[in-house]
Amino acid sequence: KIVRFHNSRSKEFLAYLIDRRGCAVTNKQAISILWEDRPDDNTTGSLFRIAVADLRKTLKEVHAENLLVDKRNSRSVDPSLIDCDYYHFLDGDPASITAFLGEYMMNYSWGEFTTASLAAIKEKFTKKRL
């Protein structure tokens, strides 16, 4: 089901949390990722709270509110509730690895680090199969 986000930062934050595969992200870390070119001040703190509220609202609308795990000053996702090609790739699924064409979260600068890791995994997988 396609999920429509009202706030592009809430969409990016969910993508980042999925990328982190259940590892907690502090508010400060999230702000530095989502607003990398801005200082961590009251304005970005407010923007972050708005994005988190929108993310909660959006997840509730699609009956996926349990996906977001809130703890004091940090958030994560429950990866056991997510079925995605990225997780299948990391779990070593040959079809998912083969399907990877070198692009991952191209709209987000933080995705470049994961893209490099995925490319290395695919190269190792390809060499192993030869």
Side-chain angles (χ1 to χ4, degrees):
K1 181 177 183 179
I2 295 176
V3 178
R4 305 244 185 255
F5 290 85
H6 306 285
N7 181 314
S8 65
R9 297 294 182 180
S10 61
K11 179 181 177 181
E12 180 178 2
F13 187 42
L14 179 60
Y16 185 69
L17 291 175
I18 291 170
D19 178 80
R20 300 279 302 171
R21 206 173 184 194
C23 292
V25 176
T26 67
N27 293 351
K28 286 193 175 292
Q29 289 171 321
I31 289 168
S32 71
I33 291 294
L34 298 173
W35 291 276
E36 62 186 340
D37 57 340
R38 294 183 66 170
D40 179 6
D41 57 15
N42 288 340
T43 302
T44 52
S46 178
L47 291 170
F48 178 68
R49 286 187 295 279
I50 291 167
V52 170
D54 179 66
L55 177 56
R56 281 193 195 108
K57 179 183 174 192
T58 301
L59 292 174
K60 187 171 184 166
E61 287 171 358
V62 296
H63 309 289
E65 57 269 21
N66 292 335
L67 183 65
L68 187 64
V69 179
D70 282 310
K71 295 198 174 168
R72 184 174 170 82
N73 195 33
S74 70
R75 284 164 187 81
S76 63
V77 292
D78 181 348
S80 70
L81 300 176
I82 299 169
D83 181 26
C84 67
D85 54 353
Y86 171 58
Y87 288 1
H88 295 295
F89 180 103
L90 294 176
D91 290 339
D93 175 54
S96 297
I97 295 171
T98 302
F100 177 66
L101 301 176
E103 292 184 5
Y104 174 82
M105 299 290 174
M106 300 295 288
N107 295 341
Y108 309 125
S109 60
W110 52 261
E112 294 174 19
F113 299 105
T114 304
T115 303
S117 296
L118 297 176
I121 292 169
K122 180 166 183 173
E123 182 177 338
K124 186 176 179 181
F125 174 80
T126 303
K127 285 181 180 177
K128 189 175 173 183
R129 293 188 75 175
L130 295 176

